Amino acid sequence: MDVRQVSYFLAVAEHGGFSRAASALDVAQPTLSQSVRALERELGAELFHRVSHGLVLSYAGRAFVGPARQMLRGITAAREAVGSREPSSAVLDLVTVPVLAAYPGASLVGSFRRLKPDIVVRIDEPETDDGLHILVRNGHSELGLAHLPVPHLGLHVVELGVQELWLAFPPGTDVGPADAVPLARLHGADVLGVPRGSWQRDHVEQALREQGVRTRLVVEVAHREALVPLVLGGAGTAFVVRETAHAAASLGAVVRPVDPPLRQAYGLVHRPGPLSPAAGAFLAHARAACGAG
């Protein structure tokens, strides 16, 4: 196994086929195919299933993505440590859930890219919020932007800030004075929600239970970016992060903070041990940008 084989495998996995990967790497497709097949022989496992519409990762292929990325990160770090002039592409693998990808993820990545334009940032999303920590632990992503606390998986945690949920009501809703809305006021209300297993859904339902409040879930939407358009369309009331609430207000929604406040800390998580130069730079940048010391 060599670096080129591993790089080619990841390119095929990320681009979904040999043709697109070959184009992105500017190599001949037969060369790429032969290299991946040689890697499969060396590992004794089929990494891809060849299907009619292209390629999909096999079980072994999915399991190999994390170690492969770790291998390339280690090689990049080793080259930088010895001052090697061998060209290497710096990649930051970050996994986060949609609600944190928007705030504060977008601003953090944007400001980081302005400082480090040579680093490519690859942002992944877990299938469920709980799956984020597994992707960090197995090396699929080097850093995770997650709500805290995290499960006890031996990960190192750097707290960055606190996220707060507000209420967004359809335009024209009479919610009284411009102050916080008691959760008790939502008893019997039509609300919009995201799927179970997400931080936002779990946090809201726990708070409602503690207040003895029962609502009617009238729309469950997997695409969380649709929450505000649904509120604006009059479908119901939604819990959204404060920054999204402010944006929704500019479009006509009625927004208010909640009493008691719904807040949860967030931060970056990573495996113990040294980070790659790209991940180390991002962690330092995030600390400074969020005032986390």
Side-chain angles (χ1 to χ4, degrees), residues 233-290:
T237 300
F239 289 87
V240 296
V241 296
R242 179 180 55 200
E243 295 82 358
T244 298
H246 291 328
S250 70
L251 298 173
V254 178
V255 304
R256 294 287 188 275
V258 182
D259 181 26
L262 297 181
R263 301 187 180 113
Q264 189 148 358
Y266 64 84
L268 287 168
V269 300
H270 62 84
R271 290 154 53 106
L275 293 171
S276 70
F282 184 80
L283 181 59
H285 173 72
R287 281 180 181 271
C290 297

Side-chain angles (χ1 to χ4, degrees), residues 9 12-13 16-18 20 40 46-62:
F9 159 74
V12 174
F18 287 109
R20 289 187 291 272
E40 289 178 318
E46 188 177 35
L47 299 175
F48 296 97
H49 293 311
R50 280 73 175 174
V51 295
S52 58
H53 58 277
L55 297 176
V56 295
L57 282 166
S58 66
Y59 177 82
R62 291 194 301 272

Side-chain angles (χ1 to χ4, degrees), residues 59-263:
Y59 177 82
R62 291 194 301 272
F64 187 56
V65 169
R69 287 181 173 178
Q70 288 184 67
M71 190 183 305
L72 295 190
R73 291 182 203 121
I75 290 169
T76 299
R79 285 173 174 166
E80 293 205 7
V82 300
S84 171
R85 296 182 180 180
E86 182 74 19
S88 60
S89 57
V91 177
L92 169 63
D93 289 310
L94 175 69
V95 60
T96 186
V97 294
V99 68
L100 286 173
Y103 305 102
S107 61
L108 286 177
V109 171
S111 56
F112 177 71
R113 283 279 302 125
R114 291 193 294 274
L115 290 172
K116 302 286 186 179
D118 294 334
I119 296 179
V120 175
V121 181
R122 186 164 47 205
I123 303 176
D124 287 329
E125 176 184 345
E127 292 185 8
T128 65
D129 288 11
D130 291 342
L132 182 150
H133 318 105
I134 303 300
L135 293 178
V136 175
R137 189 179 68 173
N138 68 18
H140 184 279
S141 293
E142 191 172 12
L143 292 178
L145 181 59
H147 288 105
L148 307 178
V150 298
H152 298 293
L153 298 177
L155 300 177
H156 186 69
V157 178
V158 178
E159 184 170 340
L160 297 177
V162 175
Q163 196 166 61
E164 183 174 357
L165 291 175
W166 281 34
L167 283 166
F169 300 89
T173 302
D174 181 10
V175 294
D179 53 13
V181 173
L183 278 179
R185 183 166 177 172
L186 294 178
H187 192 77
D190 292 344
V191 298
L192 317 177
V194 294
R196 292 188 183 279
S198 69
W199 160 80
Q200 187 170 332
R201 173 77 172 261
D202 294 344
H203 197 45
V204 168
E205 289 188 344
Q206 180 180 346
L208 292 174
R209 283 195 303 270
E210 290 174 353
Q211 297 291 316
V213 176
R214 300 189 66 178
T215 58
R216 292 191 299 270
L217 180 64
V218 294
V219 178
E220 182 177 276
V221 55
H223 301 289
R224 302 173 207 199
E225 62 271 18
L227 279 176
V228 170
L230 285 166
V231 169
L232 296 173
T237 300
F239 289 87
V240 296
V241 296
R242 179 180 55 200
E243 295 82 358
T244 298
H246 291 328
S250 70
L251 298 173
V254 178
V255 304
R256 294 287 188 275
V258 182
D259 181 26
L262 297 181
R263 301 187 180 113

